[in-house]
Amino acid sequence: MRTEARAVVIGGGVIGCSILYHLTKLGWSDVVLLERDELTSGSTWHAAANIHGLHDSANISRIQHYTMRLYDELEAETGQSCGVFRPGSLYLAQTENREHQLRLQAAKAKLYGMNFHEISRDEAERLHPLVNFDGIRTIMWEPDGGNVDPSGVTNAYAVGARQRGAEINRFTPVTATEQQPDGSWIVKTPKGDIRTDWVINAAGLWGREVARLAGIEVPLQPTEHQYFVTETIAEIAAMDRRLPSVADRDGEYYLRQEGKGLLIGAYEKDMRFWAEEGTPLDFAHDLFPDDLERIEENMMRAIDRVPLVGEAGIKRVINGPMIWSPDSNVILGPVPELRNYFMCGGIIPGFSQSAGMGLMAAQWIIEGEMQYDMFPWDVARFGHWANNPDFVKAKVRDVYAHRFAIHFPNEEREAGRPLRTRPAYETQKEMGAVFGLNYGWEHPLWFSDTQGTKDTNGFTRQNWWEPVGAECRMLREKAGIIDISNFAKYRVKGPGAEDWLNAVFANTMPKAVGRSCLTPLIGVRGGIAGDATVTRTAEDEFYVVSSGMAERYHKRFFDMVPLPEGTTFDCLTEDMCGFNVAGPKSREILQRMTNASLATEDFPFMRSKWIEIAGVRALAIRVSFTGDLGWELHCATEDQLRLYSALLEAGAEFGAGPVGGRALMSLRVEKGYGSWSREYSPEYFPQEVGLERLCKMEKDFLHKDAVAETLAKPARERLVLLHLDEGDVTASNADATGGEPIFKDGVGIGRVTSGTYGYTVGMSLALGFVKEGAPGDAVEVMVLGKPHKAVILDEPPFDPKGERLRA
């Protein structure tokens, strides 16, 4: 066994072997995989191993299509069969919402050149004569859908990796992972130690235990999962072809051919956790006792759809473990608190994603960043708060039982909440606030007249649409008070603070105390990794405000630049809260609460002061994400409720009141403002989002060389604001929400990143990226998967010259 390697992969399931293979494919040959038992032990060997290409996320769809294509190449390259069957997949919609989802996916497939389209019932019956299509509204067809052999795929990755120089050691459990002072790792096993640059935790069911060897916790929880295979069905045995799989997600089961019978699996409501205290170390190719009564309701729905299932005997039952994250997405990426420790765990559709996941991991490890923005998979989307066992179990119970439920735009799941609250939470709740979850924190989305009101969910306008409109109009006509405590907040202090911030961010830091600047944070490939407002609060002190959900993600970038001696960096997100008071009456409201002058000449746009307001010390920054006249007020967390109550009391005299996050979304789109994870992402270059002027190339900053390369190239696409035709929008009762394809003259030219109704400009609006098109051009936005006429605007409809903002 090697004693040194560039990377050690822990775990010999399909994901660990894929990561190993892709590391070698990108040029690293001195890599090692350690497996405590035999390859495929754990969850891999008993997987149903279905493969499909389409996903609600465009980037995950790309990854899944890469995976499906690679299996053929892998077989040719290695000579190892992957057991690929591609009889196609039928996707059924029983409800209007499922129909909307499938039509939107079909529109995305057309945009990205993927094969997924609607077919008639007659065609579906020809493809799968055993299915009863009664009650089905829409049928979609994916010709490349099917399944693979779990052992074959895993071993093909292993063979391919070995051919390029990788070493695989079976029956070699890892007993310790110890980081050395130089940042390298010692991985200990009974067969000897390996010194390595990178540790990659792909241990599957043992991901938690392996992580603990490095002193970290990851929010994962295994469950039981069942499927069964029928005896031979004569009608299938008589066929000269393989039947397509059936995705009847409204029925909450999956179904495909296995041998000359059928395989049916289910995600039942009466689910079971397993290994809550830790996965047994002696578990390998093991299963649990059958418990088909738990999935009886799902089985009966499958029988209604394919009556022959009810007549066939059961050949075998598989009841095995799988391990879940709180949102059912993989936990992927370098752990921000450790150097060169890569996590990859909690994978559910492993055989649809294995190759793409291996490629993304290898790119990140070798090149420093993935080609796609995969924040929905990033380990950094969860903080320390997510390791609460009750939270993890509540979320896993919810995502398992609703595995096939539609994830609607703007949907908020209640399981495991509230987890993190601030002092104003109970007051906001009593005021009728309907809350969302952001990096573990509860924050008001909108305010209802009735306490206890909950969101309704769907693709069309929901119960919050009118109340949010009222909040927007109140703010634009009078003023509104928005809780912005979710923003990430940092303090950089010391003699090297300015130099450090200039070395991190692309813009030049403010020279004078009381001035602020907007600045991009540049990614490894030259894209927009983040954006921040930086305020100089003293000669040697700066206050940084950025995206709250990206707090742990951005830690990776901050740690890339060493702090100068005597300079400190502190995260203040838990210690500080904030409110944005905005609207034409905001100055009058706030002026009554403070002795500090808020007049334009004394407090112009992008300036700041420490002031006392209603007896509370607060940092007032004249900036507003609403695009309106306004101030952000940042105070100590213990003062939040006191300040909030005073703002509400003072605002009431002027007709102002609380405003939630959904209204803020509408207001910022009216102004054409982008936001992180939607319009700002490592995938997008500065010149594509209008931030190139904030990249000061005369100074050095993080990843300057990369952004210099991107700025030297023409924009691949550009961010535009679209106005959707009111007649189309009214007829569908739906606005764009994000992800909808954009077509021009029948050709796909882009996609929506943010969509909403602009209540105060009377326009259905969408921000999106297009490869071509000029202001005034007519395009079509595929809202609900159907074409909606739209026009590219030449300027934002609200305050295009910024007169209100700077008043």
Side-chain angles (χ1 to χ4, degrees):
M1 187 173 76
R2 291 178 182 172
T3 57
E4 293 189 1
R6 296 182 81 171
V8 171
V9 180
I10 303 173
V14 66
I15 301 302
C17 289
S18 174
I19 294 174
L20 188 76
Y21 168 80
H22 281 90
L23 287 170
T24 64
K25 195 170 184 179
L26 293 190
W28 282 14
S29 58
D30 52 343
V31 290
V32 174
L33 184 144
L34 304 175
E35 164 55 44
R36 55 177 296 280
D37 200 271
E38 184 56 86
L39 297 185
T40 77
S41 298
S43 293
T44 294
W45 73 273
H46 62 73
N50 299 320
I51 57 173
H52 58 278
L54 266 292
H55 191 279
D56 289 338
S57 161
N59 279 349
I60 295 177
S61 292
R62 289 168 172 164
I63 281 169
Q64 292 182 174
H65 272 265
Y66 168 78
T67 299
M68 293 169 73
R69 291 194 307 269
L70 186 72
Y71 288 146
D72 292 335
E73 299 173 17
L74 202 55
E75 287 185 334
E77 175 188 331
T78 65
Q80 166 71 48
S81 172
C82 292
V84 181
F85 294 98
R86 286 200 180 88
S89 298
L90 293 167
Y91 292 77
L92 313 182
Q94 296 185 40
T95 65
E96 183 180 40
N97 278 326
R98 186 72 66 179
E99 184 176 10
H100 291 330
Q101 182 194 40
L102 293 181
R103 290 193 188 283
L104 182 54
Q105 288 185 343
K108 292 179 181 178
K110 182 181 177 183
L111 175 66
Y112 294 110
M114 300 173 182
N115 203 349
F116 183 90
H117 58 272
E118 185 172 0
I119 61 173
S120 68
R121 175 168 178 165
D122 287 346
E123 177 67 6
E125 289 175 340
R126 185 191 68 77
L127 290 165
H128 205 314
L130 306 187
V131 174
N132 171 14
F133 291 98
D134 289 349
I136 299 301
R137 299 169 59 104
T138 302
I139 306 168
M140 294 288 176
W141 172 239
E142 183 181 26
D144 296 329
N147 64 282
V148 294
D149 170 39
S151 178
V153 168
T154 305
N155 282 291
Y157 285 134
V159 170
R162 284 195 185 103
Q163 289 175 344
R164 288 187 168 92
E167 178 181 290
I168 295 177
N169 295 282
R170 299 171 300 144
F171 305 103
T172 309
V174 172
T175 57
T177 55
E178 299 174 354
Q179 187 145 47
Q180 304 305 298
D182 65 356
S184 66
W185 291 84
I186 300 294
V187 179
K188 297 192 171 185
T189 81
K191 296 180 181 179
D193 299 346
I194 304 175
R195 180 182 287 270
T196 183
D197 295 330
W198 278 91
V199 171
I200 302 163
N201 179 348
L205 294 174
W206 295 269
R208 297 172 298 176
E209 287 70 30
V210 170
R212 286 168 187 153
L213 296 178
I216 55 174
E217 291 289 329
V218 287
L220 294 169
Q221 172 60 51
T223 70
E224 297 183 16
H225 177 64
Q226 293 185 97
Y227 66 83
F228 66 91
V229 179
T230 71
E231 299 282 0
T232 295
I233 295 174
E235 288 81 352
I236 296 177
M239 290 184 178
D240 60 359
R241 63 182 175 87
R242 192 175 180 90
L243 289 169
S245 60
V246 176
D248 183 7
R249 289 167 177 168
D250 292 321
E252 298 183 315
Y253 63 86
Y254 55 87
L255 181 151
R256 67 165 174 84
Q257 184 173 335
E258 175 73 7
K260 296 301 180 181
L262 292 171
L263 180 153
I264 297 99
Y267 292 92
E268 70 279 9
K269 296 291 188 288
D270 185 20
M271 55 82 68
R272 294 287 184 274
F273 294 119
W274 178 68
E276 295 178 45
E277 303 304 320
T279 304
L281 296 181
D282 59 353
F283 191 88
H285 287 81
D286 300 287
L287 293 172
F288 310 127
D290 305 348
D291 191 5
L292 286 181
E293 287 186 8
R294 288 214 320 272
I295 65 170
E296 185 175 1
E297 291 183 15
N298 309 66
M299 290 170 58
M300 295 307 296
R301 289 191 287 271
I303 291 169
D304 287 343
R305 188 62 58 205
V306 184
L308 284 176
V309 172
E311 301 174 18
I314 294 177
K315 183 178 180 179
R316 69 178 182 272
V317 178
I318 300 293
N319 186 14
M322 53 202 313
I323 190 162
W324 299 73
S325 74
D327 59 7
S328 78
N329 282 333
V330 64
I331 293 179
L332 182 80
V335 174
E337 294 75 24
L338 297 175
R339 181 176 171 186
N340 291 6
Y341 189 99
F342 197 94
M343 187 71 211
C344 188
I347 303 98
I348 303 304
F351 287 90
S352 287
Q353 298 175 348
S354 67
M357 201 171 296
L359 177 63
M360 293 299 104
Q363 286 181 349
W364 207 335
I365 290 165
I366 294 175
E367 300 170 7
E369 193 172 84
M370 300 178 293
Q371 69 186 90
Y372 299 133
D373 175 14
M374 297 303 300
F375 185 75
W377 282 5
D378 196 328
V379 61
R381 72 188 185 275
F382 295 119
H384 62 87
W385 47 269
N387 294 319
N388 179 305
D390 292 336
F391 172 79
V392 175
K393 287 175 61 179
K395 296 294 283 186
V396 168
R397 181 186 297 279
D398 180 65
V399 296
Y400 181 97
H402 297 93
R403 174 66 181 157
F404 290 146
I406 298 170
H407 290 269
F408 293 107
N410 301 299
E411 181 182 42
E412 295 284 342
R413 298 286 186 92
E414 293 186 352
R417 298 168 52 193
L419 184 64
R420 304 172 90 192
T421 62
R422 294 186 169 91
Y425 172 75
E426 290 296 337
T427 296
Q428 291 166 337
K429 188 175 179 180
E430 292 169 4
M431 294 165 59
V434 179
F435 293 93
L437 188 71
N438 185 296
Y439 200 59
W441 293 106
E442 297 293 325
H443 67 110
L445 293 173
W446 59 285
F447 289 83
S448 169
D449 291 335
T450 306
Q451 185 178 345
T453 299
K454 296 182 179 180
D455 273 341
T456 59
N457 292 307
F459 290 100
T460 56
R461 294 170 177 172
Q462 297 299 304
N463 65 332
W464 50 267
W465 194 82
E466 289 288 355
V468 168
E471 292 176 17
C472 290
R473 286 185 286 270
M474 174 181 67
L475 186 144
R476 288 281 193 243
E477 295 167 7
K478 298 164 187 171
I481 301 156
I482 307 170
D483 189 338
I484 57 168
S485 302
N486 280 351
F487 291 175
K489 299 169 285 289
Y490 313 101
R491 179 177 58 216
V492 185
K493 182 176 174 61
E498 181 179 353
D499 290 342
W500 184 82
L501 286 164
N502 272 319
V504 171
F505 289 108
N507 201 355
T508 302
M509 293 300 105
K511 289 291 184 182
V513 175
R515 289 182 177 262
S516 303
C517 76
L518 301 176
T519 179
L521 178 68
I522 301 300
V524 172
R525 298 175 186 266
I528 304 295
D531 64 307
T533 302
V534 183
T535 299
R536 189 166 201 144
T537 53
E539 286 298 329
D540 65 346
E541 184 174 334
F542 293 80
Y543 188 74
V544 182
V545 180
S546 190
S547 172
M549 68 190 308
E551 183 179 302
R552 196 174 177 215
Y553 168 85
H554 285 151
K555 175 176 169 54
R556 296 191 186 109
F557 295 86
F558 297 148
D559 288 346
M560 290 178 183
V561 181
L563 282 166
E565 185 176 351
T567 300
T568 58
F569 174 94
D570 296 300
C571 179
L572 302 180
T573 306
E574 295 189 15
D575 299 329
M576 300 283 286
C577 289
F579 298 102
N580 180 202
V581 182
K585 300 290 185 183
S586 58
R587 178 180 281 117
E588 293 177 67
I589 294 169
L590 294 175
Q591 192 62 81
R592 293 193 178 192
M593 304 172 67
T594 181
N595 291 327
S597 173
L598 305 182
T600 304
E601 59 272 18
D602 297 322
F603 210 139
F605 182 62
M606 294 299 286
R607 299 293 194 273
S608 73
K609 294 178 184 178
W610 281 101
I611 66 173
E612 186 172 293
I613 182 162
V616 173
R617 185 173 184 265
L619 177 62
I621 307 174
R622 187 158 168 209
V623 65
S624 175
F625 202 32
T626 66
D628 215 315
L629 171 68
W631 281 261
E632 288 183 4
L633 304 172
H634 297 263
C635 67
T637 295
E638 57 265 29
D639 291 328
Q640 185 203 24
L641 181 55
R642 180 181 174 190
L643 179 57
Y644 192 47
S645 299
L647 290 170
L648 290 170
E649 182 179 353
E653 183 180 341
F654 293 84
V659 169
R662 291 216 175 111
L664 181 58
M665 166 82 162
S666 172
L667 297 166
R668 64 104 177 163
V669 172
E670 288 181 347
K671 185 64 174 171
Y673 288 161
S675 74
W676 190 83
S677 85
R678 295 183 180 93
E679 291 74 40
Y680 303 150
S681 135
E683 279 190 57
Y684 308 139
F685 298 157
Q687 68 270 35
E688 295 167 348
V689 295
L691 295 182
E692 66 272 26
R693 62 185 177 81
L694 300 183
C695 298
K696 305 302 184 183
M697 304 306 291
E698 65 273 16
K699 74 180 184 79
D700 289 329
F701 56 87
L702 192 62
H703 305 135
K704 177 184 175 180
D705 289 346
V707 83
E709 288 186 25
T710 64
L711 289 174
K713 301 172 185 176
R716 302 160 299 177
E717 53 190 1
R718 61 190 182 86
L719 183 64
V720 298
L721 186 58
L722 302 164
H723 172 208
L724 278 65
D725 181 84
E726 299 305 316
D728 282 357
V729 169
T730 302
S732 65
N733 190 34
D735 303 286
T737 57
E740 293 87 353
I742 303 169
F743 288 84
K744 184 175 185 287
D745 300 326
V747 177
I749 62 167
R751 71 275 175 211
V752 171
T753 49
S754 295
T756 182
Y757 191 77
Y759 299 93
T760 70
V761 294
M763 303 164 73
S764 187
L765 298 169
L767 280 165
F769 288 91
V770 296
K771 297 176 183 177
E772 59 182 76
D777 282 0
V779 298
E780 291 181 328
V781 178
M782 302 299 285
V783 178
L784 306 184
K786 297 180 179 180
H788 284 54
K789 294 188 290 293
V791 64
I792 299 175
L793 299 178
D794 63 347
E795 62 183 14
F798 176 76
D799 191 26
K801 294 182 172 55
E803 295 168 350
R804 286 267 290 260
L805 191 64
R806 293 170 172 80

